[in-house]
Amino acid sequence: MAGKAVGPVRRSFAPWTDPASKPFIEFRKVTKRFGDFVAVDDLSLIIYEREFFALLGPSGCGKTTLMRMVAGFEGPTEGQVLLDGQDLAGVPPYRRPTNMMFQSYALFPHMTVEANIGFGLKQDRMAKGEIDARVEEMLSLVKLTPFAKRKPHQLSGGQRQRVALARSLAKWPKVLLLDEPLGALDKKLREETQFELTDLQQKLGLTFVIVTHDQEEAMTVADRIAVMNQGRIVQIATPSEIYEQPNSRYVADFIGDINVLEGRIASTGNGVVRLECIGTGATVEVDQDLTAAPGDTAWFAIRPEKISISLDRPQNGTINAVEGEVWDIGYLGDVSVYHVRLPTGATMKATVTNRSRLVERPITWEDKVWLTWTRDGGVILTK
């Protein structure tokens, strides 16, 4: 029998919009220094119970340090880290209701799958009958029951990942911390496992915090994402808000492909911003409320899939349109990406869905083309 879809649950889950919701994990003005290096800089953050939360950013941005402070492997230099209302200062890792799954999996090579899963329970001196029952439950949960007697070297990478996950969940932690858990898997298996993780998290009702530099992974699994840079949080929002409404060029550029045109504010009002793009001759109009003065420098950011490409000049001239030459074409199977060189030398990308098998391209290299978009296709950024 098919399982119950988790979509309705995820759609309705939004405790961050309810002022009465209590924080489950809370960072209060936390700073972490390693000598002269500031890994986390005066950071405050709230994560809610049952949330699948992603810490996303480049290497060295402080995301793993945050996770290690929840686990107890690091302590804050300044500030507080609280879990379910309790200040974690001085609480050793083994006393915290958390568990951590590492990218390397760290399985014991001489132990069977079931022994690996039950190791932590045995260390806690749980009764053998209870351990056996819990291990059996975990094996069923990650669909590895037929592999219980195998050693790690007899498993595929995906199966080893499941063993590590089962071991992390066996003690029923309040919080599961996932440090780049899918990084060792190939692309297809990683994508499949991402959906399995979200289903598992919903089924267990636990709080998951994942650290990753993979934007697609974060957007697939997370209820909310914190984008980090140099020890600070740049933006916290849902995946769709992060993608469609980035609050800065850094976030827009970090999440997915983006085209950015620099310009000056011509006018604002009535929910419409007009931007004169420097060097392209284009006028951009965007449906957006923005506090800015005429003459201010701003940037228009738009995703390649929001842009239409055509050989024909648009009827509205240069409003939300630029002319250029097809410089390169990337065929990715499901989509084709057109790189269009503008007169200024800048390049814009337009993505076209390949709805039918291509025999001959209607638009090809060196064609003169027009790129156009709608007023709600992009966003104006002021920083």
Side-chain angles (χ1 to χ4, degrees):
M1 182 180 293
K4 194 172 182 180
V6 300
V9 177
R10 297 195 75 185
R11 276 198 303 270
S12 61
F13 181 79
W16 50 89
T17 63
D18 182 3
S21 294
K22 295 182 179 179
F24 191 59
I25 302 172
E26 186 174 6
F27 294 85
R28 293 181 180 174
K29 299 183 72 63
V30 168
T31 295
K32 177 63 179 179
R33 300 187 185 92
F34 295 98
D36 294 333
F37 176 70
V38 181
V40 177
D41 189 4
D42 193 28
L43 181 146
S44 295
L45 169 66
I46 289 174
I47 299 171
Y48 295 93
E49 191 171 13
R50 299 175 66 96
E51 185 172 8
F52 203 138
F53 193 90
L55 296 167
L56 177 66
S59 297
C61 71
K63 56 188 187 296
T64 298
T65 301
L66 280 183
M67 178 176 283
R68 289 175 62 83
M69 283 193 278
V70 176
F73 301 135
E74 303 287 353
T77 307
E78 300 171 11
Q80 293 177 292
V81 181
L82 295 91
L83 176 57
D84 201 12
Q86 178 189 2
D87 190 336
L88 294 177
V91 180
Y94 59 88
R95 294 290 185 193
R96 301 186 182 198
T98 64
N99 216 335
M100 194 164 182
M101 179 179 165
F102 300 94
Q103 181 179 356
S104 64
Y105 307 152
L107 301 177
F108 298 109
H110 63 287
M111 291 185 182
T112 62
V113 167
E114 59 185 3
N116 266 283
I117 294 173
F119 179 78
L121 305 176
K122 188 176 180 180
Q123 293 296 106
D124 287 350
R125 301 184 184 280
M126 183 182 284
K128 185 179 184 306
E130 293 180 38
I131 292 176
D132 292 343
R134 183 71 58 82
V135 169
E136 184 177 346
E137 184 179 2
M138 290 297 104
L139 285 168
S140 176
L141 189 67
V142 298
K143 302 174 185 176
L144 284 178
T145 301
F147 303 91
K149 302 298 183 182
R150 293 194 184 184
K151 301 286 183 64
H153 74 274
Q154 296 173 307
L155 304 175
S156 68
Q159 290 166 338
R160 289 195 293 271
Q161 185 265 348
R162 289 165 186 261
V163 176
L165 180 60
R167 185 178 62 183
S168 300
L169 291 170
K171 296 173 70 173
W172 293 119
K174 288 185 178 180
V175 180
L176 181 62
L177 305 169
L178 302 153
D179 186 11
E180 303 276 7
L182 311 181
L185 305 182
D186 63 68
K187 187 176 188 299
K188 187 173 182 180
L189 184 56
R190 188 165 64 245
E191 290 172 351
E192 292 173 357
T193 308
Q194 288 165 7
F195 287 101
E196 291 176 356
L197 265 181
T198 59
D199 291 346
L200 187 62
Q201 188 259 346
Q202 290 292 334
K203 181 178 180 179
L204 297 175
L206 301 178
T207 304
F208 280 21
V209 180
I210 186 170
V211 159
T212 181
H213 63 270
D214 186 328
Q215 53 184 291
E216 291 184 9
E217 182 170 288
M219 293 183 70
T220 299
V221 303
D223 295 304
R224 286 190 303 157
I225 299 171
V227 181
M228 295 188 64
N229 186 34
Q230 297 181 346
R232 293 177 175 268
I233 291 175
V234 185
Q235 184 174 3
I236 303 175
T238 64
S240 59
E241 290 169 339
I242 289 280
Y243 188 82
E244 302 288 359
Q245 299 171 3
N247 66 359
S248 65
R249 285 179 293 155
Y250 175 82
V251 175
D253 188 56
F254 192 81
I255 304 291
D257 262 347
I258 195 80
N259 297 292
V260 179
L261 298 177
E262 185 177 351
R264 298 194 184 281
I265 299 291
S267 64
T268 62
N270 300 318
V272 178
V273 180
R274 179 177 280 238
L275 185 76
E276 300 293 344
C277 290
I278 300 170
T280 66
T283 299
V284 174
E285 290 185 351
V286 179
D287 290 335
Q288 185 177 341
D289 290 314
L290 185 71
T291 302
D296 286 354
T297 298
W299 294 265
F300 174 62
I302 186 167
R303 304 289 179 185
E305 70 273 14
K306 313 289 188 186
I307 296 176
S308 297
I309 183 169
S310 174
L311 297 169
D312 301 322
R313 182 184 179 90
Q315 293 181 352
N316 62 349
T318 58
I319 295 178
N320 289 350
V322 290
E323 187 180 19
E325 178 184 340
V326 176
W327 195 259
D328 209 348
I329 303 172
Y331 177 72
L332 305 181
D334 55 340
V335 299
S336 291
V337 182
Y338 289 84
H339 295 243
V340 178
R341 180 69 63 92
L342 306 183
T344 58
T347 300
M348 289 187 70
K349 295 180 183 179
T351 302
V352 177
T353 303
N354 296 324
R355 298 184 183 276
S356 60
R357 286 178 292 174
L358 289 174
V359 178
E360 188 173 316
R361 293 181 181 277
I363 298 175
T364 189
W365 287 268
E366 299 182 354
D367 279 349
K368 299 292 184 181
V369 295
W370 283 88
L371 302 179
T372 59
W373 53 89
T374 59
R375 291 202 321 192
D376 61 354
V379 62
I380 302 291
L381 304 172
T382 56
K383 61 179 180 178

